[in-house]
Amino acid sequence: MFKKISKLVLCGALLFCGTAGGYAQSTLQTPQQFLGYKLGEQFTYHARLVDYVRYLADQNPSKMKVQTYGHTYEKRPLLLATISSPANMQRLEEIRTNNLKNAGLLSGQPTGGKQPAIVWLSYNIHGNESVSSEAVLQVLYDLLDPNNAQTQKWLENTVVLLDPCVNPDGRERYTQWYNRARNQQPNASPWAWEHNEPWPGGRPNHYYFDLNRDWAWQTQIESQQRAVVYNQWMPQLHADFHEQAVDNPYYFAPSAKPYHDAITPWQRQAQNFMGEYNRKYFDKNNWLYFTRESFDLFYPSYGDTWPTYQGAIAMTYEQGGSGRAGVVIQKSDGDSLTLSQRIAHHHAASLATVEAMSDKMDQVVQEFKKFYAQAQREPFGKYRSYVFKVKGEEGRIKDLTQYLDRQQIRYGYAKGAGSSKGFNYQSGKTESVRYEKGDLVISAYQPKSTLLNVLFEPSARLEDSVTYDITAWSLPYAYGLKGAAFTNRIDAGEAQPAAATANTVVPAAYAYIARWNGIQDLRFLAALLKAKVRVRYSEVPFEQNKVKYAPGTLIITRTGNENLGAKFDQLVTKAADSLGIELASSATGFVTNGADFGSRSVRYVKAPRVALLTGEGVSAYGFGEVWHYFEQQIGYPVTVLGANYFGSVPLQEFDVLILPTGSYGGILDEKTLNKVKDWVRAGGKLIAMEGAVNFLSDKPDFAVKKKTTDTTNAKKAAPAAEDLKKYANRERESISEEVQGSVFRINLDNTHPLAFGYGATYPALIKTSSLPQFMRDGWNVGVVKEEAPATGFVGSKVSSNLQNGLVLGVQEMGRGQVVYLVDNPLFRAFWQGGKLLFGNAVFLVGQ
């Protein structure tokens, strides 16, 4: 069977051969000839994959070019191969710009001849779903083979863009491990070492982020660089190649419900005909497959949804196997799944996709053009304008506009003040909302209006509650913005606000003052602490020179920084200018209201020595979110400690210990947990997140407690006949006990340092189905009361478990503190509004 499948792969699964008896003689080296082994015999290292892609481009300059569009965090190249007919390649730039003109993203009228369909195929976004980067080598060869009449005909109607490996760091982590762990003769037993990948696995990137949840948010360097070149092309089709559980047959379109309302009738129709093209080949080979299950089109940050909301036909392809499968594995039915089989399936789906786009070229191009014309003339959704407060929110607005620029979403600023009826994001109500001249205005009358409305709408309608991911993501909540969504058009003026002026060095200044309301302020603090500048913050509001300042405001006094001499002013103002921080200078330590700068209510910020736990038992994603936060978002040093040697770490070397979400039973045994508690009592600060909070709940000396079960309700009578559950409804029944990423407006005690920089409420993205009860001995800083969630799906049986529950809390333990973050404010790095809150936990609490 193994040899037979290998032969199928090399001959395009008997479907795409150039001649009836196999490939005709060609000087172009096959993957086997170049690599020295048949595809399917072993996994190819990323460097060799790159070598073959570049070899093909060198050998076929009239039909292929390859560009390095970026590099990963580990400095591996990110490649994009462009393949088409020689005639199309000669006018490639014209084809690209014509496509952007058709979308209204570039001014002018299209020129030249016919416009081919632009097809983008992405492989290996999950590193240990590694079969797709093996398959792409054969796909590339078949598209370039001059003797393959089918593919050469398709290239006349298409420009094919192939990203051969979206996640090189994750792929290499998996491939290096597997090629070391496998037997010389592959062992099919699922219990063999080669089928049991160690922590953290190859799925995520360097910082352990799931890149397939990052298409829209673009928090990772791979996603950011890919989005630049994607926006330069704006393909009509995007296909993303994945793997799933070993026993699962192949999955292709049409997708499962729910479909977002923004998906057009044409895009829904295209899901069906793409399925037809794939079925033709899978049926011919008697390959098992399924459609319309599991993989929906709702959450906007997947490789099938983000392109869809930009007018493309987009889909996920899923092959059974993933990191467990290796070269061969025995399935539960007793049959074997080989790497060669997996390659054959992805290879066939890839070429079937190109064939479909070639056959449907004219309709595809016209429907794409129609999508963008409609977007500018009559946008999707009920809202026509989004307006957000700028004054006092400059940092958040800067972060937002940088994001909008990456997405090619246009914006301006209000020409004058006014008011209109709209959805107020802060109150969660539709009411009259006032806006001021200079506020940020985002109009829905623009090419990217569908993407805009999907990302900004307060609540997306969920046609089916069984969905694959979170159900709430509205960016005004994620960024903590003050503003509203309006059903009418608000006039906007200039595309850029007035440029910020540089901060003035004031040699006679008693102190510099900086507000505390966003992550840019946290970056400023981190920069000062790294430069050995002594910083203070006020625990209480104060007023000086008729200007009011909120708790958390940073105060950088000359006193205490005498050792810096003349460099003091330059260090402070240069750091502020680089981050867009507006400083105020003070000639005195006296304030007209509040606490003077020498008061005990003005606290010194000791630069914390931060430790972060990682390893087996800790969630790789949860760890990665914190690691990335320190290294890439705020630029502050963190020491990563391994769980396997944590018991022997001298904790007195650190001031803060962070426990990301995870399962801590095997890490914090009684002896080690007692050691941690002793360290906290001596002045340490423990920050527990999500699963770590659950682990500490009800344990001795920890104030957080799980909600008690109502024993009366637990002893209910047996259900009546009409209430009996049906087996067929088991999945739908189970979600009634779940929360699928919903936004709750939690109430804050913003007099506590953990909530400095926030108002009375905070939109938290809740993913747990139960919250701890309020603490008797501690500060309940953020709680859910009895209000309904702002947006998203909440199962009918869990709402009572969330009401009157703790989300953010702080417990005093001896001279130290335990900070409980039941909600993860750093989730996927896109929840911008929570990042200052986490900074408060690290830098301000307990100072």
Side-chain angles (χ1 to χ4, degrees), residues 299 467 469-474 477-478 661 689-691 693 707 735 737-748 761-772 774 781-785 787-795 798-809 820-828 830-831 834 837:
Y299 173 69
T467 185
D469 212 292
I470 63 173
T471 58
W473 54 78
S474 182
Y477 293 129
T661 189
M689 306 176 70
E690 295 185 293
V693 177
K707 289 185 178 179
I735 66 167
E737 301 177 1
E738 296 180 2
V739 174
Q740 293 181 267
S742 301
V743 176
F744 282 73
R745 189 172 285 103
I746 68 171
N747 295 82
L748 290 179
T761 62
Y762 161 69
L765 185 63
I766 302 295
K767 302 173 294 300
T768 180
S769 59
S770 180
L771 295 174
F774 297 155
V781 181
V783 300
V784 172
K785 295 187 177 178
E787 294 85 354
T791 182
F793 176 81
V794 178
V798 300
S799 58
S800 61
N801 295 335
L802 299 174
Q803 292 177 359
N804 297 318
L806 175 71
V807 180
L808 309 168
Y820 300 107
L821 303 178
V822 182
D823 161 61
N824 176 10
L826 305 182
F827 180 67
R828 293 182 184 168
F830 90 97
W831 207 256
L837 191 151

Side-chain angles (χ1 to χ4, degrees), residues 2-3 5-7 9-10 31-32 35 37-44 130-131 133-135 137-138 171 178 182 186 325-328 337-344:
F2 181 83
K3 291 181 179 179
I5 293 297
S6 297
K7 183 178 179 181
V9 172
L10 289 176
Q32 178 181 348
L35 297 171
Y37 53 85
K38 292 180 181 180
L39 290 181
E41 289 184 342
Q42 69 178 67
F43 286 104
T44 305
S130 48
V131 65
S133 282
E134 304 293 333
L137 300 178
Q138 189 65 45
R171 176 185 174 81
Y178 182 81
R182 61 170 286 186
V327 171
V328 60
L337 176 66
T338 69
L339 179 58
S340 295
Q341 290 171 311
R342 292 152 63 199
I343 291 172

Side-chain angles (χ1 to χ4, degrees), residues 503-582:
N503 288 291
T504 303
V505 172
V506 184
Y510 182 95
Y512 291 97
I513 303 171
R515 297 186 183 275
W516 187 254
N517 66 359
I519 190 173
Q520 74 286 347
D521 306 308
L522 182 59
R523 294 181 184 124
F524 177 55
L525 173 61
L528 294 180
L529 295 179
K530 286 198 301 180
K532 309 298 183 185
V533 177
R534 289 177 176 267
V535 182
R536 292 172 168 80
Y537 75 94
S538 179
E539 284 191 315
V540 296
F542 67 92
E543 184 175 341
Q544 190 182 68
N545 299 325
K546 298 183 179 180
V547 179
K548 294 181 178 180
Y549 296 94
T553 297
L554 301 181
I555 301 167
I556 308 106
T557 59
R558 196 171 297 276
T559 297
N561 287 299
E562 295 90 345
N563 62 310
L564 297 175
K567 294 194 300 181
F568 169 71
D569 300 278
Q570 283 75 22
L571 278 172
V572 175
T573 56
K574 184 177 180 180
D577 289 344
S578 68
L579 293 164
I581 303 295
E582 183 179 352

Side-chain angles (χ1 to χ4, degrees), residues 72-126:
T72 69
Y73 287 111
E74 296 177 15
K75 307 306 179 185
R76 292 187 176 88
L78 295 164
L79 304 183
L80 185 69
T82 304
I83 300 176
S84 194
S85 67
N88 287 337
M89 293 297 287
Q90 288 180 1
R91 53 186 289 262
L92 193 62
E93 183 62 11
E94 180 184 88
I95 292 169
R96 185 186 71 82
T97 55
N98 280 348
N99 189 55
L100 297 181
K101 290 173 182 177
N102 281 336
L105 295 167
L106 193 65
S107 60
Q109 294 297 317
T111 59
K114 73 174 183 179
Q115 184 70 14
I118 300 172
V119 179
W120 186 304
L121 309 179
S122 293
Y123 299 86
N124 218 159
I125 196 167
H126 291 143

